[in-house]
Amino acid sequence: MNDTDVSKQIQQMVRFIRQEAEEKANEISVSAEEEFQIEKLQLVEAEKKKVRQEYERKTKQVEVRKKIEYSVQLNASRIKVLQAQDDVVSGMKESASKALVKISGDKNNYKKLLKGLIVQSLVRLKEPSVLLRCREMDVSVVKSVVEDAKREYTEKAKVRTPNVTIDNVHLPPPPTHSDPHRPSCSGGVVLASEDGKIVCENTLDARLDVVFRQKLPEIRKQLFSKMGA
């Protein structure tokens, strides 16, 4: 083999190696591009996912804040409504309390009322000896009816006539506009057992409190049922 043939073979080998290298380089380049595109797509999707999650998180935060604000406003409104209702009910009771003062002004009817209250208290206590307390201004009226009240109680309860002692300590006087916060009593009586362990408070104010508590659900229903509809 001469030098020319050797040279040709070398050139062929060089071309073959170069071609192989170029093909391999192309394969590497294509593979790298594919990997790059895949990685880029994954990164983009990952970022998109982060953005979506962040958006959802902030959206939920906004919704939660809105719900909290709505709940706070709703509770505040309910409290205002309840306060307004309480003011109306309290106003009714105050008006009723003012009307009680006028009852003792009707002497004949008040005398009958006091007798009935004493009888009712004796029936409740069922004690042989009791202490009766009334307003100072009612002492004379109480004295005038206490014997009749004892007789009526004795007939009703079928017991011996009880001993009723009118207390020297008196219930407070009627309420006045000048000092509305001082203790007051619109009328009626308080009876207690001799040892003071059993007490029957039968004043007009106490009876109003009892009736008002009992009738409060009905009063609220009549006043405010249309508001809830």
Side-chain angles (χ1 to χ4, degrees):
M1 183 180 293
N2 56 32
D3 293 340
T4 302
D5 293 334
V6 172
S7 178
K8 286 180 180 180
Q9 285 185 354
I10 291 173
Q11 288 177 359
Q12 286 177 351
M13 291 177 64
V14 169
R15 283 195 301 269
F16 176 76
I17 293 171
R18 184 178 294 172
Q19 185 178 352
E20 286 288 324
E22 289 175 355
E23 290 176 356
K24 194 65 177 178
N26 287 333
E27 289 177 6
I28 293 172
S29 178
V30 170
S31 178
E33 180 65 23
E34 289 177 353
E35 290 178 0
F36 170 74
Q37 292 297 334
I38 292 172
E39 187 175 352
K40 183 175 74 172
L41 184 61
Q42 289 175 342
L43 289 172
V44 170
E45 288 300 322
E47 289 301 317
K48 284 182 179 179
K49 185 177 181 180
K50 286 183 181 179
V51 171
R52 283 195 298 268
Q53 289 175 341
E54 182 67 14
Y55 175 77
E56 290 173 358
R57 185 181 67 82
K58 290 184 176 180
T59 301
K60 287 180 180 179
Q61 286 180 342
V62 172
E63 290 176 354
V64 169
R65 281 199 296 268
K66 285 183 178 179
K67 288 179 180 179
I68 292 173
E69 289 173 3
Y70 174 76
S71 179
V72 170
Q73 292 175 359
L74 183 62
N75 287 336
S77 299
R78 285 174 177 168
I79 290 171
K80 287 182 181 179
V81 170
L82 291 174
Q83 184 61 54
Q85 291 179 358
D86 287 342
D87 291 343
V88 171
V89 172
S90 297
M92 288 183 61
K93 187 178 181 183
E94 186 176 349
S95 298
S97 297
K98 291 178 180 178
L100 288 181
V101 181
K102 299 177 183 179
I103 293 177
S104 60
D106 187 341
K107 302 299 182 183
N108 290 330
N109 285 331
Y110 186 56
K111 184 176 180 180
K112 294 177 183 178
L113 177 62
L114 279 177
K115 177 188 170 184
L117 293 174
I118 293 171
V119 172
Q120 187 182 63
S121 300
L122 289 170
V123 170
R124 289 182 178 177
L125 290 175
K126 293 183 173 63
E127 290 288 318
S129 184
V130 298
L131 185 67
L132 185 153
R133 184 174 295 180
C134 62
R135 299 183 302 182
E136 187 174 9
M137 60 188 294
D138 292 336
V139 171
S140 59
V141 184
V142 169
K143 286 181 177 179
S144 70
V145 300
V146 69
E147 293 302 323
D148 289 341
K150 287 162 62 177
R151 279 193 295 273
E152 183 175 332
Y153 162 69
T154 302
E155 292 174 2
K156 282 185 176 182
K158 308 297 182 184
V159 295
R160 291 183 180 181
T161 303
N163 178 38
V164 178
T165 304
I166 299 175
D167 198 351
N168 292 325
V169 178
H170 303 112
L171 297 176
T176 59
H177 296 292
S178 59
D179 190 7
H181 299 295
R182 69 168 174 76
S184 62
C185 177
S186 299
V189 292
V190 175
L191 272 70
S193 58
E194 198 170 32
D195 57 9
K197 292 181 178 180
I198 308 173
V199 178
C200 177
E201 189 174 358
N202 224 356
T203 64
L204 300 183
D205 308 272
R207 293 180 68 88
L208 175 62
D209 288 339
V210 171
V211 171
F212 210 79
R213 283 196 301 270
Q214 291 175 344
K215 295 292 184 180
L216 187 57
E218 184 179 339
I219 292 171
R220 286 187 175 277
K221 184 178 180 181
Q222 291 182 356
L223 287 175
F224 311 120
S225 59
K226 292 182 179 180
M227 295 179 62

